[in-house]
Amino acid sequence: GAGVSQSPSNKVTEKGKDVELRCDPISGHTALYWYRQSLGQGLEFLIYFQGNSAPDKSGLPSDRFSAERTGGSVSTLTIQRTQQEDSAVYLCASSSTTGTNTEAFFGQGTRLTVV
Amino acid sequence: GENVEQHPSTLSVQEGDSAVIKCTYSDSASNYFPWYKQELGKRPQLIIDIRSNVGEKKDQRIAVTLNKTAKHFSLHITETQPEDSAVYFCAANYGGSQGNLIFGKGTKLSVKP
């Protein structure tokens, strides 16, 4: 596609349920980032994938959060046993980092509401 | 740890005035510093970036300056217009080239007509 695509756009789930959020990066982009943005807040780093390197998971807030990137393309962020404080917009971004960082393009985000 | 500090958190200016947003970073290996603009309800979009081999970069009404010694970088918007109203985020890459992007907490800029 022309840009970073995330699905679903909106997700309402009950507390305690598991959710999966999907990110389709721009074709050929080696770097993929996940961020969380609570209402009116900043971009909280969650996890970073760069090529075949081990992902940087240092931003994951708890062991309920995990992410994978299959075949160096699509990524899935999984939140287990969701809590109300997990409610936020989850943003994915990708960039081409051949040699050095370049512009990161963001998806439209998934708005997660835990009720 | 990895940290990008951004100030101020809110900024209100009159149309036509200048606006300055400042950021500091902690990793001396950082060499890429982008700025993003996020309008209400939309995704962040890159407006300008600077690399560590230059001290200043301009694009029309927007400029960014970098002081590597002090680990400071700033965004300058001149002749502000109401459509400049948005949240602005600075970022720095950590661990050098191809590093993770860590963002500041954002500055909400309001330009009053």
Short mmCIF file of all heavy atoms in Angstrom, two decimals, chain A residues 4 33 35 37 41-43 45 48 50 56 91 97-104 106-108, chain B residues 2 31-32 36 38 43-44 46 49 51 89 93 96-106:
data_model
loop_
_atom_site.label_atom_id
_atom_site.label_comp_id
_atom_site.label_asym_id
_atom_site.label_seq_id
_atom_site.Cartn_x
_atom_site.Cartn_y
_atom_site.Cartn_z
N VAL A 4 1.48 3.38 5.86
CA VAL A 4 1.39 2.42 6.96
C VAL A 4 -0.08 2.21 7.28
O VAL A 4 -0.82 3.19 7.47
CB VAL A 4 2.15 2.94 8.19
CG1 VAL A 4 2.01 1.95 9.34
CG2 VAL A 4 3.61 3.18 7.85
N TYR A 33 8.17 0.63 14.40
CA TYR A 33 8.06 1.12 15.78
C TYR A 33 6.60 1.02 16.24
O TYR A 33 5.68 1.26 15.47
CB TYR A 33 8.45 2.60 15.87
CG TYR A 33 9.68 3.05 15.12
CD1 TYR A 33 9.67 3.25 13.75
CD2 TYR A 33 10.86 3.34 15.82
CE1 TYR A 33 10.79 3.70 13.07
CE2 TYR A 33 11.99 3.80 15.15
CZ TYR A 33 11.94 3.98 13.78
OH TYR A 33 13.06 4.43 13.11
N TYR A 35 4.17 2.73 19.29
CA TYR A 35 4.06 3.73 20.34
C TYR A 35 2.64 3.70 20.90
O TYR A 35 1.70 3.26 20.23
CB TYR A 35 4.34 5.15 19.80
CG TYR A 35 5.74 5.34 19.28
CD1 TYR A 35 6.04 5.13 17.94
CD2 TYR A 35 6.77 5.75 20.13
CE1 TYR A 35 7.34 5.30 17.46
CE2 TYR A 35 8.07 5.93 19.66
CZ TYR A 35 8.34 5.70 18.32
OH TYR A 35 9.62 5.87 17.85
N GLN A 37 -0.23 6.31 22.75
CA GLN A 37 -0.55 7.70 23.01
C GLN A 37 -1.87 7.77 23.78
O GLN A 37 -2.94 7.50 23.22
CB GLN A 37 -0.64 8.50 21.71
CG GLN A 37 -0.80 10.00 21.94
CD GLN A 37 -0.66 10.81 20.67
OE1 GLN A 37 -1.09 10.39 19.59
NE2 GLN A 37 -0.05 11.99 20.77
N GLN A 41 -1.71 13.07 25.49
CA GLN A 41 -0.36 12.82 25.98
C GLN A 41 0.63 12.61 24.83
O GLN A 41 0.29 12.72 23.65
CB GLN A 41 -0.36 11.60 26.90
CG GLN A 41 -1.24 11.75 28.12
CD GLN A 41 -0.84 12.91 28.99
OE1 GLN A 41 0.33 13.04 29.39
NE2 GLN A 41 -1.78 13.79 29.29
N GLY A 42 1.87 12.31 25.22
CA GLY A 42 2.94 12.14 24.25
C GLY A 42 2.98 10.76 23.63
O GLY A 42 2.07 9.95 23.81
N LEU A 43 4.05 10.50 22.90
CA LEU A 43 4.25 9.23 22.21
C LEU A 43 5.16 8.36 23.07
O LEU A 43 6.37 8.55 23.13
CB LEU A 43 4.88 9.48 20.84
CG LEU A 43 4.04 10.31 19.88
CD1 LEU A 43 4.85 10.75 18.68
CD2 LEU A 43 2.82 9.53 19.44
N PHE A 45 7.13 5.17 23.79
CA PHE A 45 7.76 4.08 23.05
C PHE A 45 7.41 2.74 23.67
O PHE A 45 7.45 2.57 24.89
CB PHE A 45 9.28 4.27 23.04
CG PHE A 45 10.04 3.02 22.65
CD1 PHE A 45 9.95 2.51 21.37
CD2 PHE A 45 10.84 2.37 23.58
CE1 PHE A 45 10.63 1.37 21.02
CE2 PHE A 45 11.54 1.23 23.24
CZ PHE A 45 11.43 0.72 21.96
N TYR A 48 10.63 -1.71 19.22
CA TYR A 48 11.27 -1.30 17.96
C TYR A 48 11.88 -2.53 17.30
O TYR A 48 12.64 -3.28 17.92
CB TYR A 48 12.36 -0.27 18.27
CG TYR A 48 13.28 0.09 17.12
CD1 TYR A 48 12.78 0.56 15.92
CD2 TYR A 48 14.67 0.02 17.28
CE1 TYR A 48 13.64 0.92 14.88
CE2 TYR A 48 15.53 0.38 16.26
CZ TYR A 48 15.01 0.84 15.06
OH TYR A 48 15.86 1.21 14.04
N GLN A 50 14.21 -3.66 13.97
CA GLN A 50 15.11 -3.16 12.93
C GLN A 50 15.72 -4.37 12.21
O GLN A 50 16.57 -5.05 12.76
CB GLN A 50 16.19 -2.28 13.52
CG GLN A 50 17.35 -1.94 12.57
CD GLN A 50 16.90 -1.40 11.24
OE1 GLN A 50 15.90 -0.69 11.13
NE2 GLN A 50 17.61 -1.75 10.19
N ASP A 56 14.04 -4.20 20.20
CA ASP A 56 14.22 -3.45 21.44
C ASP A 56 12.87 -3.42 22.14
O ASP A 56 11.98 -2.69 21.74
CB ASP A 56 14.71 -2.04 21.11
CG ASP A 56 14.87 -1.15 22.33
OD1 ASP A 56 14.47 -1.56 23.45
OD2 ASP A 56 15.37 -0.02 22.18
N LEU A 91 -0.03 3.54 18.06
CA LEU A 91 0.47 4.00 16.77
C LEU A 91 1.66 3.15 16.32
O LEU A 91 2.55 2.84 17.12
CB LEU A 91 0.92 5.46 16.86
CG LEU A 91 -0.20 6.50 16.97
CD1 LEU A 91 0.35 7.82 17.48
CD2 LEU A 91 -0.87 6.71 15.63
N THR A 97 15.77 2.41 7.01
CA THR A 97 16.95 2.83 7.76
C THR A 97 18.23 2.25 7.18
O THR A 97 19.15 1.91 7.90
CB THR A 97 16.83 2.40 9.24
OG1 THR A 97 16.67 0.98 9.28
CG2 THR A 97 15.66 3.06 9.90
N THR A 98 18.29 2.15 5.87
CA THR A 98 19.51 1.65 5.24
C THR A 98 20.66 2.59 5.55
O THR A 98 20.72 3.70 5.04
CB THR A 98 19.32 1.51 3.72
OG1 THR A 98 18.20 0.67 3.47
CG2 THR A 98 20.56 0.92 3.09
N GLY A 99 21.54 2.18 6.43
CA GLY A 99 22.69 3.01 6.77
C GLY A 99 22.43 3.98 7.89
O GLY A 99 23.26 4.20 8.75
N THR A 100 21.28 4.60 7.90
CA THR A 100 20.99 5.60 8.92
C THR A 100 19.48 5.80 9.03
O THR A 100 18.73 5.39 8.15
CB THR A 100 21.67 6.93 8.59
OG1 THR A 100 21.49 7.84 9.68
CG2 THR A 100 21.06 7.56 7.34
N ASN A 101 19.06 6.44 10.10
CA ASN A 101 17.64 6.72 10.28
C ASN A 101 17.14 7.68 9.20
O ASN A 101 17.82 8.61 8.80
CB ASN A 101 17.40 7.36 11.64
CG ASN A 101 17.53 6.37 12.78
OD1 ASN A 101 18.62 6.18 13.30
ND2 ASN A 101 16.41 5.75 13.16
N THR A 102 15.92 7.43 8.76
CA THR A 102 15.23 8.35 7.87
C THR A 102 13.82 8.56 8.40
O THR A 102 13.46 8.02 9.45
CB THR A 102 15.17 7.81 6.43
OG1 THR A 102 14.52 6.54 6.45
CG2 THR A 102 16.56 7.68 5.84
N GLU A 103 13.00 9.31 7.65
CA GLU A 103 11.66 9.66 8.11
C GLU A 103 10.86 8.44 8.50
O GLU A 103 10.79 7.46 7.77
CB GLU A 103 10.93 10.42 7.01
CG GLU A 103 9.50 10.82 7.39
CD GLU A 103 8.81 11.61 6.31
OE1 GLU A 103 9.45 11.87 5.27
OE2 GLU A 103 7.63 11.98 6.50
N ALA A 104 10.25 8.52 9.67
CA ALA A 104 9.31 7.49 10.12
C ALA A 104 7.91 7.92 9.74
O ALA A 104 7.49 9.04 10.06
CB ALA A 104 9.43 7.28 11.62
N PHE A 106 3.88 7.33 10.07
CA PHE A 106 2.95 6.75 11.03
C PHE A 106 1.68 6.24 10.36
O PHE A 106 1.22 6.79 9.35
CB PHE A 106 2.55 7.80 12.07
CG PHE A 106 3.57 8.02 13.14
CD1 PHE A 106 4.65 8.87 12.94
CD2 PHE A 106 3.47 7.34 14.36
CE1 PHE A 106 5.60 9.06 13.93
CE2 PHE A 106 4.42 7.52 15.35
CZ PHE A 106 5.48 8.39 15.14
N GLY A 107 1.13 5.19 10.96
CA GLY A 107 -0.21 4.76 10.60
C GLY A 107 -1.24 5.64 11.28
O GLY A 107 -0.90 6.55 12.06
N GLN A 108 -2.51 5.35 11.00
CA GLN A 108 -3.58 6.17 11.56
C GLN A 108 -3.90 5.80 13.01
O GLN A 108 -4.62 6.52 13.69
CB GLN A 108 -4.85 6.06 10.70
CG GLN A 108 -5.71 4.85 10.97
CD GLN A 108 -5.18 3.55 10.35
OE1 GLN A 108 -4.05 3.50 9.86
NE2 GLN A 108 -6.01 2.53 10.34
N GLU B 2 17.30 6.23 28.13
CA GLU B 2 16.98 7.05 26.97
C GLU B 2 15.93 8.08 27.35
O GLU B 2 14.88 7.73 27.90
CB GLU B 2 16.45 6.16 25.86
CG GLU B 2 17.42 5.05 25.47
CD GLU B 2 16.75 3.95 24.70
OE1 GLU B 2 15.51 3.94 24.62
OE2 GLU B 2 17.47 3.08 24.20
N ASN B 31 22.27 10.90 16.38
CA ASN B 31 22.71 11.70 15.22
C ASN B 31 21.58 12.07 14.28
O ASN B 31 21.80 12.59 13.19
CB ASN B 31 23.82 10.95 14.45
CG ASN B 31 23.37 9.60 13.94
OD1 ASN B 31 22.19 9.27 13.94
ND2 ASN B 31 24.32 8.80 13.49
N TYR B 32 20.33 11.82 14.70
CA TYR B 32 19.19 12.15 13.85
C TYR B 32 18.09 12.71 14.73
O TYR B 32 17.72 12.08 15.73
CB TYR B 32 18.70 10.89 13.12
CG TYR B 32 17.47 11.10 12.28
CD1 TYR B 32 17.50 11.94 11.16
CD2 TYR B 32 16.27 10.47 12.59
CE1 TYR B 32 16.37 12.13 10.39
CE2 TYR B 32 15.14 10.66 11.82
CZ TYR B 32 15.20 11.49 10.73
OH TYR B 32 14.09 11.68 9.95
N TYR B 36 8.00 16.38 14.53
CA TYR B 36 6.72 15.96 13.98
C TYR B 36 5.63 16.92 14.44
O TYR B 36 5.66 17.45 15.55
CB TYR B 36 6.37 14.53 14.46
CG TYR B 36 7.12 13.47 13.68
CD1 TYR B 36 8.45 13.19 13.95
CD2 TYR B 36 6.49 12.76 12.66
CE1 TYR B 36 9.14 12.23 13.23
CE2 TYR B 36 7.16 11.79 11.94
CZ TYR B 36 8.49 11.54 12.22
OH TYR B 36 9.16 10.59 11.49
N GLN B 38 1.45 17.09 14.95
CA GLN B 38 0.24 16.28 15.03
C GLN B 38 -0.96 17.18 15.22
O GLN B 38 -1.12 17.80 16.28
CB GLN B 38 0.33 15.26 16.17
CG GLN B 38 -0.85 14.29 16.20
CD GLN B 38 -0.74 13.25 17.31
OE1 GLN B 38 -0.18 13.51 18.36
NE2 GLN B 38 -1.28 12.06 17.05
N ARG B 43 -2.60 11.66 12.54
CA ARG B 43 -1.33 11.00 12.86
C ARG B 43 -0.19 12.01 12.82
O ARG B 43 -0.27 13.02 12.12
CB ARG B 43 -1.06 9.88 11.85
CG ARG B 43 -0.71 10.37 10.45
CD ARG B 43 -0.72 9.23 9.44
NE ARG B 43 -2.06 8.86 9.05
CZ ARG B 43 -2.34 7.84 8.24
NH1 ARG B 43 -1.36 7.09 7.76
NH2 ARG B 43 -3.58 7.56 7.91
N PRO B 44 0.88 11.78 13.57
CA PRO B 44 2.04 12.67 13.50
C PRO B 44 2.67 12.63 12.11
O PRO B 44 2.75 11.57 11.49
CB PRO B 44 3.00 12.09 14.53
CG PRO B 44 2.15 11.24 15.42
CD PRO B 44 1.06 10.70 14.54
N LEU B 46 6.09 14.24 9.78
CA LEU B 46 7.39 14.90 9.81
C LEU B 46 7.30 16.28 9.18
O LEU B 46 6.72 16.44 8.10
CB LEU B 46 8.41 14.07 9.05
CG LEU B 46 9.83 14.62 9.03
CD1 LEU B 46 10.50 14.39 10.37
CD2 LEU B 46 10.65 13.99 7.91
N ASP B 49 13.74 17.68 9.74
CA ASP B 49 14.69 16.89 10.53
C ASP B 49 16.10 17.44 10.32
O ASP B 49 16.36 18.19 9.38
CB ASP B 49 14.62 15.40 10.21
CG ASP B 49 14.85 15.09 8.73
OD1 ASP B 49 15.36 15.96 7.99
OD2 ASP B 49 14.50 13.98 8.29
N ARG B 51 20.44 16.37 10.95
CA ARG B 51 21.42 15.35 11.31
C ARG B 51 22.60 16.03 12.00
O ARG B 51 22.79 17.23 11.90
CB ARG B 51 21.87 14.59 10.06
CG ARG B 51 20.71 13.88 9.40
CD ARG B 51 21.12 12.98 8.25
NE ARG B 51 19.91 12.42 7.63
CZ ARG B 51 19.28 11.35 8.08
NH1 ARG B 51 19.72 10.73 9.15
NH2 ARG B 51 18.19 10.91 7.48
N PHE B 89 6.19 17.43 18.31
CA PHE B 89 7.04 16.47 19.01
C PHE B 89 8.45 16.50 18.45
O PHE B 89 8.64 16.45 17.23
CB PHE B 89 6.52 15.04 18.86
CG PHE B 89 5.18 14.78 19.51
CD1 PHE B 89 4.02 14.83 18.78
CD2 PHE B 89 5.11 14.48 20.87
CE1 PHE B 89 2.79 14.59 19.38
CE2 PHE B 89 3.89 14.25 21.48
CZ PHE B 89 2.73 14.30 20.73
N ASN B 93 17.28 9.75 17.81
CA ASN B 93 17.55 8.31 17.70
C ASN B 93 18.56 7.91 18.76
O ASN B 93 19.47 8.67 19.09
CB ASN B 93 18.02 7.91 16.29
CG ASN B 93 19.35 8.54 15.90
OD1 ASN B 93 19.77 9.53 16.50
ND2 ASN B 93 19.99 7.97 14.90
N GLY B 96 22.79 5.53 18.03
CA GLY B 96 23.41 5.89 16.78
C GLY B 96 22.54 5.57 15.58
O GLY B 96 21.34 5.36 15.70
N SER B 97 23.15 5.51 14.41
CA SER B 97 22.42 5.28 13.16
C SER B 97 21.58 4.02 13.25
O SER B 97 22.00 3.01 13.81
CB SER B 97 23.41 5.17 12.01
OG SER B 97 24.07 6.39 11.81
N GLN B 98 20.40 4.09 12.67
CA GLN B 98 19.42 3.01 12.68
C GLN B 98 18.88 2.74 14.08
O GLN B 98 18.30 1.69 14.34
CB GLN B 98 20.00 1.71 12.11
CG GLN B 98 20.49 1.85 10.68
CD GLN B 98 20.92 0.52 10.09
OE1 GLN B 98 21.29 -0.40 10.81
NE2 GLN B 98 20.82 0.40 8.79
N GLY B 99 19.08 3.69 14.95
CA GLY B 99 18.62 3.50 16.33
C GLY B 99 17.14 3.78 16.49
O GLY B 99 16.49 4.36 15.63
N ASN B 100 16.63 3.39 17.63
CA ASN B 100 15.25 3.62 17.99
C ASN B 100 14.97 5.12 18.09
O ASN B 100 15.85 5.91 18.42
CB ASN B 100 15.01 2.95 19.35
CG ASN B 100 13.58 3.00 19.77
OD1 ASN B 100 12.70 3.30 18.98
ND2 ASN B 100 13.34 2.71 21.04
N LEU B 101 13.74 5.54 17.82
CA LEU B 101 13.34 6.93 17.94
C LEU B 101 12.59 7.13 19.25
O LEU B 101 11.55 6.51 19.48
CB LEU B 101 12.43 7.34 16.79
CG LEU B 101 13.06 7.71 15.45
CD1 LEU B 101 11.99 8.09 14.45
CD2 LEU B 101 14.07 8.85 15.61
N ILE B 102 13.12 8.01 20.07
CA ILE B 102 12.47 8.34 21.34
C ILE B 102 11.94 9.77 21.22
O ILE B 102 12.68 10.68 20.80
CB ILE B 102 13.45 8.23 22.52
CG1 ILE B 102 13.98 6.80 22.63
CG2 ILE B 102 12.76 8.64 23.82
CD1 ILE B 102 12.93 5.75 22.91
N PHE B 103 10.69 9.96 21.61
CA PHE B 103 10.04 11.25 21.43
C PHE B 103 9.95 12.02 22.75
O PHE B 103 9.85 11.43 23.83
CB PHE B 103 8.62 11.04 20.90
CG PHE B 103 8.56 10.70 19.44
CD1 PHE B 103 8.78 9.40 19.01
CD2 PHE B 103 8.31 11.67 18.50
CE1 PHE B 103 8.75 9.08 17.66
CE2 PHE B 103 8.27 11.37 17.14
CZ PHE B 103 8.50 10.07 16.72
N GLY B 104 9.96 13.34 22.62
CA GLY B 104 9.61 14.20 23.74
C GLY B 104 8.12 14.12 24.00
O GLY B 104 7.37 13.52 23.23
N LYS B 105 7.67 14.77 25.08
CA LYS B 105 6.27 14.68 25.47
C LYS B 105 5.34 15.62 24.71
O LYS B 105 4.13 15.57 24.91
CB LYS B 105 6.13 14.90 26.97
CG LYS B 105 6.76 13.79 27.80
CD LYS B 105 6.41 13.89 29.26
CE LYS B 105 7.03 12.77 30.08
NZ LYS B 105 6.57 11.44 29.63
N GLY B 106 5.92 16.45 23.86
CA GLY B 106 5.09 17.28 23.00
C GLY B 106 4.87 18.68 23.52
O GLY B 106 4.93 18.94 24.73
#
